[in-house]
Amino acid sequence: MAPETPGRETQETLSNLLRETRRFAPPADLAAAANVTADAYDEAANDRLGFWERAADRLSWGQRWETTLEWNPPFAKWFLGGTLNVAYNCVDRHVEAGRGDKVAYYWEGEPDGDSRTLTYSDLLREVGKAANALTELGVGKGDRVAIYMPMIPELPIAMLACARIGAIHSVVFGGFSASALSGRIQDADAKLVITADGGYRRGAPSALKPTVDEAVALCPGIEHVLVVRRTGEDVQVTDKDVWWHDVVERQSERHEVVQHDAEDPLYILYTSGTTGKPKGILHTTGGYLTQVAWTHHAVFDLKPESDVYWCTADIGWVTGHSYIVYGPLANGATSVIYEGTPDTPHKGRFWEIVQKYGVTILYTAPTAIRTFMKWGDDIPAKYDMATLRVLGSVGEPINPEAYVWYREHIGGNRSPVVDTWWQTETGAIMISPLPGVTSAKPGAAMRPLPGVIADVVDDQAKSVPDGGGGFLVIREPWPSMLRGIWGDDKRYTDTYWSRFDGMYFAGDGAKRDQDGDLWLLGRVDDVMLVSGHNISTTEVESALVSHPKVAEAAVVGATDPITGQAIVAFVILRGSAEEGADIAKELRGHVSTALGPIAKPRQILVVPELPKTRSGKIMRRLLRDVAENRSIGDVTTLADSSVMSLISEKLPSASSED
Ligand code: ATP
Ligand code: MG
């Protein structure tokens, strides 16, 4: 069995405990003008490959493909024989069509008043110069380029310049340590690093260059470090360093487009590392761009003429790659990019940006939504957000309470929420409502998108009936699927393709409700086995979050002499709630009422913080170590490793009696 799959065999499929009866129909005006209607499901069901061919035809190809799909499990090739240039599709073609003056990015720096506007013509010039600079620095097709940058316009420009010349970028999130960066540089054998002196975080310059120096000292394969000046702080200059404003600025703005093969690599991106050692996920060109562009058009109902779209993710994660850079640009969208944190200089910063640019579509993560809930309803209420018309969520299961809060306090009870399930590996959204079609349920990702064949199976690989829970799998290849793990075909096969014969194993649990709609239930590694019942972390956490005193919750299964495993819950209280003596009893009773006595936590610990990855996801395996009194495992992917000692201190006072 693969290292990432659960080490424990399950006796039954996942329990289905949560009952949710709220429904939100699509707004009539949105439905009437929607980019994609219900017909798309039938169209794709009748002819899946034909459906993806039509999606591919939304792009501009040098040479049209000959074979739509070649599938030698587990290796897929899409649009064989086709050639295209991703940067041309994202930039040039919009300028050629007369839309050069259209804004591609409104960039908002963290310091007040620091902003830039880039039109598609601006982007064409900047990408052309950067592509010429990369060539001058000796970077050619197939070479790997590590990118370690703050959220500034040079980041997408650098990515597009790589794509233009066929170099493979590996963006490493700017919050990672020197050892995480050097490990990723070495794994991909990169020859160039693109970085900046620093960026602004929480009201102050935050240096990046010293981390790069430390990492590059361990990477003899790096020939040059290309440095953008952003903060203007002093940096130590090494003999490998060249400044962006020297090398890029003096280049010609013209760069002749070259076509690349549809299956040429586009990028490597390491997963966020919630479950352990990150994997270098490889994505290629034609299929990837096809699916990110189509899903961005369909799931967000993007109207390039009138929408202002904002995805708040960091470009260092796949959400930023697919839905800040490639999808929106391929569709000719106008997007917002924000450099900083949501609480700088004040907790209304996001809503101020929505108001300033008239954002119509907002895409963010449950971790952010729960934080905004904790900060209070009065903050977003101060801003005019009447322009918003579609809201998206990604990264973790969204608790129904958080969904309803998001819809009401951000979306004015008018904007549909699309809960989008996907992974670094899938490249693009796979399971999601369509905002003009789906009557959505809070907390459910609902249906696989047209052209995606997802299923929930039991441990014998049989589809579970409606009302059942189990393992989420994808039964057929999809255009933006990963083409492997960089340099490790065996890990690719073991991790994703050996759990169930011929199916992609996503590693997530899910249930199919009585209507056939899908609910994501968290990672299968985290499933708790209590008295012979497999209980998902998500359902218990959602029950806790539905209590008015709870802002956030994480639950784990800890070894228990009687029940096999018992549920231990870690909760953060809302700002106004008191940590009274009875809180544990109250919350245990609340969960028992909501889900049944089987799901009642043995212990409730009130904690100040939860351990999260740098992308904001809760890391339950570390909490399991705490709950079982073990020494705490690998914390290198944690955003803040001091959180663990704060939590451990809480342990002795835990109440477990009823
Ligand atoms: P690693 O694979 O290294 O542990 P990771 O899985 O956190 O890291 P990502 O690819 O960024 O890295 O995250 C994908 C995972 O995020 C999914 O497998 C799922 O667990 C979770 N996820 C993403 N979107 C949703 C969603 N809408 N609902 C539920 N879970 C989601
Ligand atoms: Mg994963």
Side-chain angles (χ1 to χ4, degrees):
M1 192 181 285
E4 281 87 2
T5 57
R8 163 171 52 81
E9 289 305 325
T10 49
Q11 273 84 58
E12 55 145 51
T13 54
L14 264 175
S15 296
N16 174 4
L17 302 173
L18 187 82
R19 296 281 169 263
E20 175 60 65
T21 52
R22 290 171 284 192
R23 295 280 178 288
F24 298 106
D29 52 343
L30 198 156
N35 286 350
V36 175
T37 62
D39 297 345
Y41 292 102
D42 297 334
E43 215 188 288
N46 294 334
D47 178 11
R48 188 172 60 92
L49 295 186
F51 171 82
W52 286 121
E53 286 168 8
R54 284 185 291 282
D57 276 327
R58 299 180 67 250
L59 305 178
S60 303
W61 295 78
Q63 182 140 8
R64 205 168 184 274
W65 61 91
E66 281 148 17
T67 310
T68 305
L69 170 65
E70 186 189 282
W71 180 221
N72 294 313
F75 297 96
K77 291 183 175 165
W78 283 84
F79 307 117
L80 256 87
T83 64
L84 73 166
N85 186 292
V86 166
Y88 175 86
N89 272 278
C90 289
V91 185
D92 307 41
R93 65 169 177 156
H94 305 307
V95 178
E96 286 173 12
R99 295 188 295 268
D101 291 337
K102 188 172 190 329
V103 174
Y105 290 125
Y106 289 116
W107 175 78
E108 182 80 4
E110 197 189 75
D112 205 23
D114 194 2
S115 59
R116 269 171 78 183
T117 298
L118 281 102
T119 64
Y120 278 92
S121 294
D122 295 333
L123 211 47
L124 180 62
R125 285 193 291 272
E126 297 304 322
V127 172
K129 286 191 284 186
N132 286 321
L134 292 182
T135 308
E136 184 183 304
L137 292 171
V139 176
K141 180 161 173 157
D143 288 339
R144 272 79 60 205
V145 174
I147 301 182
Y148 183 75
M149 287 174 90
M151 288 280 283
I152 55 177
E154 286 79 3
L155 171 51
I157 290 167
M159 293 163 75
L160 291 163
C162 288
R164 195 166 183 99
I165 66 172
I168 306 167
H169 60 68
S170 164
V171 180
V172 179
F173 172 62
F176 275 122
S177 66
S179 75
L181 175 59
S182 65
R184 285 162 175 75
I185 292 173
Q186 288 162 359
D187 187 67
D189 197 13
K191 67 195 285 193
L192 176 76
V193 181
I194 308 180
T195 188
D197 49 2
Y200 286 88
R201 300 286 302 165
R202 297 186 202 291
S206 159
L208 288 177
K209 184 62 174 34
T211 310
V212 174
D213 292 344
E214 204 185 312
V216 168
L218 304 172
C219 304
I222 293 294
E223 294 168 10
H224 296 288
V225 177
L226 178 57
V227 190
V228 176
R229 187 144 69 201
R230 159 74 183 126
T231 63
E233 299 225 299
D234 279 347
V235 295
Q236 199 175 328
V237 178
T238 76
D239 55 1
K240 292 184 177 178
D241 292 352
V242 291
W243 285 107
W244 180 285
H245 55 259
D246 287 337
V247 179
V248 177
E249 287 314 318
R250 65 174 155 74
Q251 303 292 328
S252 157
E253 291 170 354
R254 290 185 55 84
H255 182 274
E256 214 52 52
V257 176
V258 282
Q259 302 296 337
H260 300 295
D261 194 274
E263 280 296 336
D264 281 342
L266 179 64
Y267 68 79
I268 303 165
L269 180 63
Y270 293 82
T271 57
S272 57
T274 310
T275 52
K277 183 174 178 270
K279 303 168 276 278
I281 303 301
L282 176 68
H283 283 291
T284 59
T285 299
Y288 173 79
L289 196 65
T290 295
Q291 192 170 339
V292 295
W294 186 81
T295 51
H296 183 254
H297 161 83
V299 172
F300 299 107
D301 191 45
L302 178 96
K303 309 278 197 256
E305 323 76 52
S306 51
D307 276 317
V308 178
Y309 162 87
W310 182 22
C311 167
T312 71
D314 192 285
I315 292 177
W317 310 121
V318 74
T319 305
H321 281 57
S322 298
Y323 298 106
I324 297 177
V325 183
Y326 294 116
L329 293 178
N331 288 331
T334 294
S335 302
V336 172
I337 297 183
Y338 173 52
E339 177 186 33
T341 48
D343 53 354
T344 307
H346 56 79
K347 290 184 170 137
R349 189 69 196 266
F350 270 27
W351 320 126
E352 186 178 74
I353 292 172
V354 168
Q355 177 178 286
K356 173 172 177 184
Y357 294 107
V359 172
T360 59
I361 304 170
L362 181 72
Y363 193 24
T364 192
T367 184
I369 297 166
R370 291 188 303 254
T371 303
F372 300 136
M373 285 172 73
K374 195 163 54 183
W375 287 347
D377 312 348
D378 51 319
I379 298 175
K382 288 184 208 136
Y383 299 89
D384 178 5
M385 300 197 280
T387 48
L388 284 172
R389 64 178 199 94
V390 178
L391 303 176
S393 171
V394 63
E396 289 180 291
I398 180 164
N399 315 109
E401 235 27 70
Y403 179 110
V404 170
W405 185 92
Y406 188 31
R407 216 189 117 84
E408 180 178 341
H409 294 280
I410 306 305
N413 275 328
R414 151 195 88 239
S415 318
V417 176
V418 287
D419 173 19
T420 64
W421 178 87
W422 60 296
Q423 311 176 294
T424 309
E425 293 88 338
T426 69
I429 299 169
M430 301 289 281
I431 306 177
S432 167
L434 289 175
V437 178
T438 315
S439 274
K441 304 171 181 176
M446 302 301 292
R447 298 276 165 140
L449 288 177
V452 172
I453 315 292
D455 198 359
V456 182
V457 299
D458 63 18
D459 59 353
Q460 302 302 309
K462 284 208 297 285
S463 290
V464 303
D466 288 350
F471 303 93
L472 180 68
V473 296
I474 315 290
R475 288 188 173 274
E476 297 292 341
W478 63 100
S480 63
M481 70 186 267
L482 74 167
R483 300 304 195 257
I485 293 178
W486 182 256
D488 199 345
D489 282 350
K490 183 172 183 307
R491 192 174 180 207
Y492 169 65
T493 306
D494 288 349
T495 306
Y496 307 107
W497 300 95
S498 34
R499 183 71 177 79
F500 301 110
D501 208 23
M503 296 176 215
Y504 172 84
F505 172 57
D508 286 336
K511 73 179 184 192
R512 197 190 338 261
D513 69 15
Q514 295 300 348
D515 305 322
D517 295 321
L518 300 181
W519 299 69
L520 273 297
L521 295 180
R523 293 160 198 278
V524 292
D525 317 44
D526 293 335
V527 167
M528 305 172 289
L529 184 57
V530 182
S531 305
H533 296 272
N534 280 311
I535 297 178
S536 90
T537 50
T538 302
E539 292 200 320
V540 181
E541 289 164 4
S542 289
L544 286 162
V545 172
S546 73
H547 188 283
K549 287 186 185 160
V550 176
E552 231 179 332
V555 305
V556 298
T559 311
D560 184 276
I562 299 157
T563 55
Q565 280 192 320
I567 301 176
V568 178
F570 298 79
V571 300
I572 301 179
L573 299 182
R574 288 219 194 192
S576 53
E578 296 277 312
E579 186 184 343
D582 292 343
I583 187 80
K585 192 165 179 210
E586 193 178 331
L587 295 181
R588 296 173 73 229
H590 179 76
V591 174
S592 184
T593 311
L595 303 179
I598 185 75
K600 182 154 84 175
R602 179 186 74 187
Q603 263 172 298
I604 304 253
L605 288 108
V606 176
V607 293
E609 275 306 332
L610 290 170
K612 291 186 180 166
T613 61
R614 286 175 172 81
S615 57
K617 300 182 196 208
I618 298 170
M619 278 231 262
R620 291 175 193 75
R621 69 182 165 79
L622 299 177
L623 294 173
R624 214 149 44 223
D625 293 341
V626 173
E628 296 189 332
N629 287 310
R630 263 195 311 276
S631 61
I632 291 160
D634 183 7
V635 296
T636 49
T637 56
L638 266 190
D640 174 4
S641 50
S642 67
V643 167
M644 290 316 296
S645 44
L646 289 177
I647 293 171
S648 302
E649 283 164 17
K650 283 279 180 174
L651 196 59
S653 64
S655 66
S656 62
E657 67 299 327
D658 201 0

